[in-house]
Amino acid sequence: MIALTLGELAGIVDGELAAGTDPAATVTGPAFIDSRRVVPGGLFAAFDGANADGHEFAAEAVAAGAAAMLGSRDVGVPGVIAPDVEAALGKLAHEVLRRLPDLTVIALTGSSGKTSAKDLLGQTLATHAPTVFTEGSLNNDLGLPLTVLRAEEGTRFLVLEMGSRGVGHIKQLCELAPPKVGLVLNIGTAHMGEFGSRELTAIAKGELIEALPKDGLAVLNADDPIVAKMAQRTDAPVLSFGESPSARVRGTGISVDDEGRAGFTLSADGVEAPVTLRFVGEHHVSNALAAAAVCTGMGMTVPAIAAGLAEAEPLSGGRMSVTHRSDGVIVIDDAYNANPESMRAGLKALATLARAHPEGRSWAVLGLMAELGESSNEAHDAIGRLAVRLRVDRVLAVGPEARMIHAGASHEGSGGQESATVADPDEAIAVLRAQLRPGDLVLVKASNSVGLRRVARALLEDAR
Ligand SMILES: Nc1ncnc2c1ncn2[C@@H]1O[C@H](COP(=O)(O)OP(=O)(O)OP(=O)(O)O)[C@@H](O)[C@H]1O
Ligand SMILES: [Mg+2]
């Protein structure tokens, strides 16, 4: 973070100095909320949460090197007191950005792939100039300020993942951190229960494009008609990406290797370069093209972008991370979240890997896709049917909410394919431990709340 005195900080957040605080003392590091992960010189933001009260750890955090606390009550620790700590962090982030005029703020949103695209983009841009990007999926009212506050004077690009809880939310995030560049990946059926319809989802995500200044840049998916239409919602120039011939930054000749990693030829303005990603699944081509388009807009050359994308690692776990166990079982951990689009993508990647590893059987250990509203039953049934069509050998539907997956998978059941249900993750672990054979491939995927991460972890612990 840029250096600020506690006096300045109190003014920015409309807060008060805690008793005995030296107004001239400075904060030099970023803000953080976990007192076990103290950043020297940083600002410990104390939240009175449901499970714990951060204020109780403030003294410890300061003793361990934090410069001060930002909290909602005075606990005898130097710092600033403001009634709403999250709002205070937002105000602070907004002001810090105002004081960093050479920083280009790039925000991205979409239904699926935000974190993956953000990791691809952040790492590729970082090969060009100092870049700060969202850690994991910290994409809301709290995550955004925390990311912004990691920017320093030398930072040139700030890549912000923006999630949306409904109409008006992204507009608000864009007021907090006004983006110069806006990227929309896709509009799918994720979080449909929350939004109500695809149209409302488009309205909500498109707020990012409406927030762009005239001299900004809208980066839009040419392959997704709903996203492409967002061009009408801005005066900023538009840069399109995709497989469509009309896309300015384009991917052609897409292939998938035996490990499920996608390769393609990247082209922009007549220049081409081959890319092989370290991300598993063909669906990441779209995320990589999105990242490439932003990089093009930021002045990188096609060969430099291709090199950056090829080096980029999937930094945020639980998204198609493939582990080869020593006994030959291959685990694909995609337990972090699930919606119909990402389920289809995950199953297709499983099928691709299965073709390359014909010696074993393919397993899809699947659970609820949350927040789908009325379309939920049909969507789960469709996933079960797709698993059958893709010739997944064993479907294991975990939890009562996933029974429609089992229904879909048993419905069309054919030659040797089987589907079963289990009550919970523990039972899934037991079935898998009893039945997995060397060479088997296991995809583990559901919405986070189902807890399939536990299944993935257990399978990985079994790797001897
Ligand atoms: N373009 C895409 N189309 C379909 N599925 C995708 C795409 N990109 C990523 N996925 C899959 O979607 C899931 C979530 O990916 P990721 O975490 O990158 O998305 P996200 O938009 O950040 O999700 P969240 O809303 O939880 O923040 C993973 O299973 C991933 O493999
Ligand atoms: Mg995310």
Side-chain angles (χ1 to χ4, degrees):
M1 190 165 96
I2 59 172
L4 288 173
T5 68
L6 292 179
E8 272 179 294
L9 209 149
I12 292 168
V13 306
D14 297 321
E16 311 219 321
L17 290 174
T21 298
D22 174 7
T26 56
V27 174
T28 51
F32 62 98
I33 54 177
D34 185 341
S35 61
R36 290 161 302 183
R37 293 175 61 194
V38 171
V39 188
L43 180 66
F44 173 62
F47 284 91
D48 196 352
N51 302 315
D53 180 2
H55 295 84
E56 287 171 17
F57 304 98
E60 210 176 288
V62 168
M69 174 195 83
L70 173 63
S72 52
R73 63 171 201 275
D74 197 335
V75 285
V77 171
V80 173
I81 311 302
D84 182 341
V85 176
E86 189 174 285
L89 281 175
K91 285 180 195 165
L92 184 57
H94 186 81
E95 176 58 20
V96 162
L97 282 179
R98 214 183 53 81
R99 295 188 190 190
L100 291 171
D102 297 333
L103 182 70
T104 300
V105 177
I106 300 165
L108 71 132
T109 193
S111 293
S112 302
K114 296 180 289 296
T115 296
S116 311
K118 175 269 301 173
D119 284 341
L120 283 159
L121 172 58
Q123 291 175 81
T124 306
L125 268 181
T127 64
H128 184 58
T131 302
V132 166
F133 54 101
T134 303
E135 202 179 294
S137 211
L138 293 175
N139 65 19
N140 59 16
D141 312 66
L142 175 60
L144 207 67
L146 290 177
T147 309
V148 169
L149 294 173
R150 282 169 42 224
E152 297 172 348
E153 257 106 21
T155 309
R156 286 295 159 265
F157 297 112
L158 179 64
V159 178
L160 300 173
E161 172 175 338
M162 289 188 178
S164 171
R165 272 196 322 266
V167 172
H169 192 201
I170 287 189
K171 180 168 184 274
Q172 200 183 311
L173 295 177
C174 289
E175 279 159 15
L176 193 160
K180 179 99 186 260
V181 181
L183 161 63
V184 182
L185 296 169
N186 47 53
I187 299 295
T189 50
H191 314 295
M192 200 65 121
E194 239 166 305
F195 287 105
S197 73
R198 221 172 178 138
E199 288 68 34
L200 278 178
T201 312
I203 289 172
K205 308 265 178 199
E207 288 164 2
L208 170 56
I209 299 308
E210 286 173 356
L212 298 173
K214 264 200 181 82
D215 62 346
L217 182 66
V219 180
L220 298 174
N221 187 347
D223 299 339
D224 183 324
I226 301 181
V227 174
K229 251 178 70 183
M230 289 181 188
Q232 297 164 2
R233 291 166 70 180
T234 180
D235 292 327
V238 172
L239 204 165
S240 59
F241 66 90
E243 292 173 48
S244 309
S246 66
R248 162 120 176 260
V249 173
R250 214 179 150 207
T252 52
I254 294 167
S255 61
V256 179
D257 73 9
D258 284 357
E259 298 303 319
R261 293 172 300 220
F264 61 97
T265 300
L266 173 67
S267 66
D269 304 325
V271 185
E272 290 191 347
V275 180
T276 301
L277 298 174
R278 297 185 180 187
F279 286 62
V280 169
E282 199 177 324
H283 53 294
H284 286 302
V285 172
S286 177
N287 298 331
L289 291 174
V294 174
C295 293
T296 304
M298 297 301 98
M300 289 182 73
T301 65
V302 168
I305 296 169
L309 290 174
E311 292 290 315
E313 300 280 354
L315 298 177
S316 311
R319 294 165 180 83
M320 301 299 287
S321 49
V322 179
T323 307
H324 290 252
R325 290 189 351 187
S326 51
D327 63 358
V329 170
I330 303 175
V331 179
I332 311 170
D333 173 11
D334 201 23
Y336 168 76
N337 85 7
N339 59 53
E341 286 78 25
S342 72
M343 271 286 192
R344 283 200 290 276
L347 285 172
K348 282 185 194 157
L350 173 68
T352 307
L353 276 165
R355 277 195 298 277
H357 298 272
E359 64 286 358
R361 300 164 303 175
S362 55
W363 292 74
V365 182
L366 308 177
L368 171 78
M369 300 179 281
E371 300 173 4
L372 291 183
E374 279 176 9
S375 59
S376 183
N377 276 350
E378 202 183 320
H380 285 85
D381 181 78
I383 289 301
R385 288 168 191 265
L386 176 65
V388 172
R389 272 203 308 285
L390 290 171
R391 303 190 183 286
V392 174
D393 296 308
R394 298 279 184 279
V395 172
L396 195 57
V398 185
E401 306 86 357
R403 66 183 184 283
M404 289 305 289
I405 297 180
H406 170 61
S410 345
H411 214 248
E412 297 178 14
S414 65
Q417 292 172 302
E418 282 173 24
S419 176
T421 51
V422 289
D424 54 33
D426 287 327
E427 216 178 296
I429 293 169
V431 168
L432 291 164
R433 283 195 169 141
Q435 299 192 20
L436 281 181
R437 301 200 295 246
D440 281 1
L441 262 165
V442 196
L443 168 70
V444 183
K445 185 163 177 67
S447 281
N448 205 9
S449 59
V450 181
L452 287 196
R453 279 213 249 194
R454 212 141 44 84
V455 176
R457 216 175 307 134
L459 291 180
L460 294 176
E461 277 163 14
D462 291 347
R464 284 167 296 267

Coordinates of all heavy atoms in Angstrom, one line a residue, residues 2 19-20 48 75 80 82 84 111 158 191 265 369 372 440:
I2 N 0.3 2.4 -0.5 CA 1.1 3.6 -0.4 C 1.1 4.0 1.1 O 0.2 3.7 1.8 CB 0.4 4.7 -1.2 CG1 -1.0 5.0 -0.8 CG2 0.5 4.3 -2.7 CD1 -1.6 6.2 -1.5
A19 N -7.6 5.8 21.3 CA -7.0 6.6 22.4 C -5.5 6.3 22.4 O -5.1 5.1 22.3 CB -7.6 6.2 23.7
G20 N -4.7 7.3 22.5 CA -3.2 7.1 22.6 C -2.5 6.9 21.3 O -1.3 6.6 21.2
D48 N -16.0 -8.0 13.7 CA -16.7 -8.7 14.7 C -17.6 -9.7 14.0 O -18.8 -9.4 13.7 CB -17.5 -7.7 15.5 CG -18.0 -8.3 16.9 OD1 -17.8 -9.6 17.0 OD2 -18.5 -7.6 17.7
V75 N -9.8 -1.0 21.5 CA -9.4 -2.1 22.4 C -8.0 -1.8 22.9 O -7.3 -2.8 23.2 CB -9.5 -3.5 21.7 CG1 -10.9 -3.9 21.5 CG2 -8.8 -3.5 20.3
V80 N -7.4 3.2 14.0 CA -8.5 4.0 13.7 C -9.8 3.3 13.9 O -9.9 2.1 13.6 CB -8.4 4.4 12.2 CG1 -9.6 5.1 11.7 CG2 -7.1 5.2 11.9
A82 N -13.8 3.1 13.2 CA -14.9 3.5 12.3 C -16.0 2.5 12.5 O -15.8 1.3 12.7 CB -14.4 3.5 10.9
D84 N -18.3 1.1 10.6 CA -18.4 0.0 9.6 C -17.0 -0.2 8.9 O -16.6 0.5 8.1 CB -19.5 0.4 8.5 CG -19.7 -0.7 7.5 OD1 -18.8 -1.6 7.3 OD2 -20.7 -0.6 6.8
S111 N -20.1 -15.3 -15.8 CA -20.7 -16.4 -15.0 C -19.7 -17.5 -14.5 O -19.8 -17.9 -13.4 CB -21.9 -17.0 -15.7 OG -22.9 -16.1 -15.9
L158 N -3.7 -3.3 -12.1 CA -4.4 -3.9 -11.0 C -5.6 -4.7 -11.6 O -6.5 -4.1 -12.3 CB -4.9 -2.8 -10.1 CG -5.8 -3.2 -8.9 CD1 -4.9 -4.0 -7.9 CD2 -6.3 -2.0 -8.2
H191 N -25.6 -19.0 -10.7 CA -26.3 -18.1 -9.8 C -27.7 -17.7 -10.3 O -28.2 -16.6 -10.0 CB -25.5 -16.8 -9.5 CG -24.0 -17.1 -9.3 ND1 -23.6 -17.8 -8.2 CD2 -22.9 -16.8 -10.0 CE1 -22.3 -17.9 -8.2 NE2 -21.9 -17.3 -9.3
T265 N -3.9 -21.8 -31.5 CA -3.0 -20.8 -32.1 C -3.7 -19.4 -31.8 O -4.9 -19.2 -32.0 CB -3.0 -21.0 -33.6 OG1 -2.4 -22.2 -33.9 CG2 -2.1 -19.9 -34.3
M369 N -25.5 -28.6 -7.8 CA -25.1 -27.3 -8.4 C -26.1 -26.3 -7.7 O -27.3 -26.4 -8.0 CB -25.3 -27.3 -9.9 CG -24.5 -28.4 -10.6 SD -24.8 -28.3 -12.4 CE -26.3 -29.2 -12.6
L372 N -29.7 -22.7 -8.6 CA -30.2 -22.7 -9.9 C -31.7 -22.4 -10.0 O -32.2 -22.3 -11.1 CB -29.9 -24.1 -10.6 CG -28.5 -24.4 -10.9 CD1 -28.3 -25.8 -11.5 CD2 -27.9 -23.3 -11.8
D440 N -7.6 -45.8 -12.6 CA -8.9 -45.1 -12.7 C -8.7 -43.6 -12.6 O -7.8 -43.1 -12.1 CB -9.8 -45.5 -11.5 CG -10.5 -46.9 -11.7 OD1 -10.2 -47.5 -12.8 OD2 -11.2 -47.3 -10.8

